[in-house]
């Protein structure tokens, strides 16, 4: 019965997310319903002392990252830099190689710190134009954008400032640059196989005589790209974010040491900060701030004209994304405290290989919640201690745990109820029936890549 209660709570949250209901509202309902069925007297203490504590703790750590990332993406969009980057890549690679062009554009934007949701809106008009010129079926656009934005630049490439690469740093005391070679190998595997898969799908469609099609909904107007920033200037903020992230990651520990005590006149006791636990977060926050200032320096006028409205929209989106994930984090903490989860944990811990255990746990919970960051947060909040102990017993570096957990979170998270998938299909004017099969193929490929990386580590010891 305890196991059934835990599974019921997980299944209920997955159902309401699939139906489009707010996770912020229903995550505590699902968690407290499970507590009610286990111990009715514990409902209110668990809500105040566990769910809210964990939820607020997540917001404390990660809200600035969500806010700065959203604002950076918005100013990149408002400045016209995203348009310049997209058109420049298409010109270099060639409109006839539409898939590779759009994948590379998504890579540049996501690795440069632009939110995945912003990338979908920014890239779709150009993807539609490139696919139309090449007479490629429109239904392949979502799979292409998913490969470029929702896969290796989100969690595999070392240094990526996306939240899926930041969350593990606080559990394993690592940086966003953890296990760089494993991340690069995983990224190369996904890119090569993913592009080959989509090219094969295009070839099959051409053999059937299927082209772009007509009568589509949400068709963008043909873009006017005559007036745009020079591509070198447009790329500069993305380069600044990457280099600043690397520089601050190295500089912060040297500047502060291992621990710092901050005493202010109005405080009863000093603020004690363990630097290793916040280095990655501080580095990404400072890097994103540097990127925003770079955009303002080169495109002050177009950004300033609409900054009030644009920043409000960015902040609203960031708050919604952060609170969704924080609510799932609190839900995971509650479920992890229930007797039924012990049975789940014991079943998963029976997997003898530590990295496979971690990968299966993270990707399963990401799939159940429909959220890479949510599933990752739940898994690490509940079982990071178990993962660390097993890894230390096997001599596995924490950097490898970080990279495997991060990549696994972006595997089965893109099931049909995933918010990014629903947004992507809505923006492109397509349905799950028309376009989800290719997104799922990328999902399977991404999940496979995690186990490829694990195998390579065990065979070579490369990190």
């Amino acid at each position: 019965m305890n196991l059934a209660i835990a599974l019921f709570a997980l299944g209920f949250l997955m159902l309401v997310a699939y139906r489009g209901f707010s996770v912020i509202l229903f995550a505590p309902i699902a968690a407290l319903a499970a507590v009610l069925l286990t111990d009715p007297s514990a409902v209110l203490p668990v809500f105040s002392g566990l769910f809210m504590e964990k939820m607020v703790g997540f917001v404390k750590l990660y809200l600035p990252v969500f806010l700065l990332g959203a604002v950076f993406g918005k100013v990149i969009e408002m400045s016209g830099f995203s348009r310049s980057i997209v058109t420049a890549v298409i010109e270099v690679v060639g409109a006839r190689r539409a898939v590779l062009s759009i994948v590379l554009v998504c890579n540049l934007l996501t690795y440069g710190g632009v939110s995945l949701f912003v990338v979908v809106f920014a890239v779709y008009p150009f993807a539609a134009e490139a696919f139309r010129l090449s007479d490629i079926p429109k239904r392949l656009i979502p799979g292409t954008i998913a490969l470029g934005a929702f896969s290796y630049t989100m969690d595999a490439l070392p240094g990526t400032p996306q939240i899926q690469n930041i969350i593990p740093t606080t559990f394993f005391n690592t940086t966003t640059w953890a296990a760089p070679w494993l991340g690069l190998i995983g990224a190369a595997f996904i890119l090569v196989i993913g592009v080959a898969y989509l090219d094969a799908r295009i070839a099959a469609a051409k053999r059937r005589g299927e082209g772009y099609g007509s009568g589509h909904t949400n068709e963008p107007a043909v873009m006017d790209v005559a007036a745009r920033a020079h591509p070198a200037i447009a790329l500069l903020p993305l380069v600044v974010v990457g280099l600043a992230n690397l520089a601050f990651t190295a500089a912060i520990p040297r500047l502060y040491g291992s621990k710092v005590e901050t005493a202010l006149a109005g405080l009863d006791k000093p603020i004690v900060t363990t630097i290793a636990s916040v280095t990655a977060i501080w580095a990404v926050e400072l890097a994103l701030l540097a990127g925003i200032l770079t955009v303002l320096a080169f495109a002050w006028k177009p950004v300033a004209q609409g900054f009030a409205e644009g920043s409000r929209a960015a902040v609203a989106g960031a708050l919604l994304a952060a609170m969704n994930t924080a609510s799932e984090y609190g839900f995971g903490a509650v479920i992890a405290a229930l007797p039924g989860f012990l049975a789940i944990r014991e079943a998963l811990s029976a997997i003898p290989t530590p990295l496979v255990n971690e990968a299966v746990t993270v990707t399963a919970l990401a799939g159940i919640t429909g959220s890479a960051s949510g599933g990752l947060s739940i898994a690490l909040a509940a079982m990071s201690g178990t993962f660390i102990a097993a890894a230390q017993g096997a001599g596995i570096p924490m950097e490898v745990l970080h990279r495997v957990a991060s990549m696994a979170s972006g595997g089965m998270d893109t099931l049909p109820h995933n918010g990014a998938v629903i947004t992507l299909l809505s923006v492109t004017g397509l349905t799950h029936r028309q376009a989800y099969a290719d997104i799922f193929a990328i999902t399977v490929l991404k999940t496979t890549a995690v186990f490829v990386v694990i195998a390579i580590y065990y065979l070579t010891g490369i990190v």
Side-chain angles (χ1 to χ4, degrees):
M1 180 58 70
N2 288 330
L3 177 59
I5 289 170
L7 293 176
F8 164 77
L10 291 169
F12 175 73
L13 183 60
M14 182 171 65
L15 176 63
V16 296
Y18 181 78
R19 294 289 187 180
F21 293 99
S22 170
V23 172
I24 300 173
L25 174 63
F26 279 96
I29 291 175
L32 296 178
V35 176
L36 179 66
L37 294 172
T38 303
D39 182 0
S41 66
V43 171
L44 294 179
V46 166
F47 176 69
S48 298
L50 184 56
F51 182 89
M52 290 304 300
E53 285 287 335
K54 293 297 184 180
M55 182 175 180
V56 171
F58 183 93
V59 172
K60 172 187 171 184
L61 281 174
Y62 301 116
L63 179 60
V65 176
F66 279 91
L67 288 173
L68 289 169
V71 172
F72 178 63
K74 179 56 69 173
V75 297
I76 283 284
E77 176 188 335
M78 294 168 62
S79 65
F81 285 4
S82 60
R83 175 188 298 182
S84 179
I85 293 168
V86 172
T87 52
V89 171
I90 291 176
E91 287 171 3
V92 171
V93 178
R96 295 296 171 183
R97 304 190 67 184
V99 167
L100 183 59
S101 297
I102 299 306
V103 167
L104 292 178
V105 167
C106 293
N107 289 174
L108 287 170
L109 294 176
T110 51
Y111 194 62
V114 180
S115 164
L116 307 181
F117 291 92
V118 173
V119 171
V120 171
F121 285 97
V123 172
Y124 167 58
F126 298 92
E129 180 67 14
F131 275 53
R132 189 185 300 117
L133 289 174
S134 301
D135 200 28
I136 298 171
K138 183 183 178 181
R139 60 183 174 79
L140 297 176
I141 291 178
T144 302
I145 294 178
L147 175 62
F150 299 172
S151 60
Y152 52 91
T153 50
M154 184 177 81
D155 52 45
L157 286 180
T160 177
Q162 299 297 334
I163 193 68
Q164 294 80 4
N165 191 41
I166 298 172
I167 290 173
T169 64
T170 58
F171 291 93
F172 302 130
N173 286 331
T174 51
T175 73
T176 57
W177 302 89
W181 288 111
L182 289 177
L184 289 169
I185 290 168
F189 175 85
I190 297 166
L191 173 61
V192 171
I193 304 299
V195 171
Y197 166 79
L198 290 169
D199 283 343
R201 294 282 287 163
I202 292 171
K206 289 188 179 297
R207 286 195 297 270
R208 294 192 301 268
E210 181 184 1
Y212 184 79
S214 59
H216 298 300
T217 59
N218 288 15
E219 279 293 280
V222 176
M223 302 296 295
D224 177 15
V225 296
R228 56 185 173 91
H230 191 280
I233 295 176
L235 281 170
L236 183 60
L238 309 184
V239 175
V240 166
V241 170
L243 294 179
N245 184 17
L246 181 61
F248 286 125
T249 298
I252 288 171
R254 289 201 300 266
L255 180 63
Y256 287 100
S258 61
K259 184 179 291 187
V260 61
E261 293 188 6
T262 305
L264 298 175
L267 295 176
D268 295 331
K269 56 183 181 180
I271 301 170
V272 180
T273 306
T274 303
I275 299 303
S277 64
V278 295
T279 296
I281 296 174
W282 286 1
V284 169
E285 290 169 355
L286 292 171
L288 289 171
L289 182 59
I292 292 169
L293 294 176
T294 303
V295 176
L296 294 178
F298 285 92
W300 171 261
K301 187 174 181 180
V303 173
Q305 288 175 347
F307 186 75
E309 182 179 352
S311 60
R312 282 197 302 270
V315 168
L319 288 173
L320 180 61
M323 291 303 294
N324 272 327
T325 307
S327 191
E328 290 173 339
Y329 188 71
F331 168 84
V334 173
I335 296 301
L338 297 177
F341 191 79
L342 295 177
I344 297 174
R345 185 167 64 186
E346 289 173 4
L348 291 171
S349 63
I351 300 173
T353 307
L355 294 179
V356 174
N357 183 358
E358 180 187 45
V360 171
T361 302
V362 171
T363 200
L365 290 176
I368 288 170
T369 60
S371 166
S373 54
L376 180 62
S377 299
I378 291 172
L380 295 186
M383 298 184 68
S384 59
T386 302
F387 298 150
I388 290 171
Q392 288 174 339
I396 298 172
M398 293 299 102
E399 288 78 8
V400 179
L401 276 185
H402 172 129
R403 188 55 55 209
V404 169
S406 182
M407 289 184 65
S409 73
M412 297 303 291
D413 68 309
T414 46
L415 292 179
H417 58 293
N418 174 270
V421 170
I422 293 170
T423 299
L424 175 57
L425 293 174
S426 174
V427 168
T428 56
L430 297 165
T431 65
H432 279 77
R433 177 174 294 181
Q434 290 173 306
Y436 181 72
D438 296 302
I439 298 175
F440 182 72
I442 301 302
T443 298
V444 173
L445 169 62
K446 182 66 172 59
T447 305
T448 304
V450 181
F451 296 98
V452 170
V453 165
I454 292 172
I456 290 172
Y457 170 73
Y458 280 123
L459 288 172
T460 67
I462 192 172
V463 177

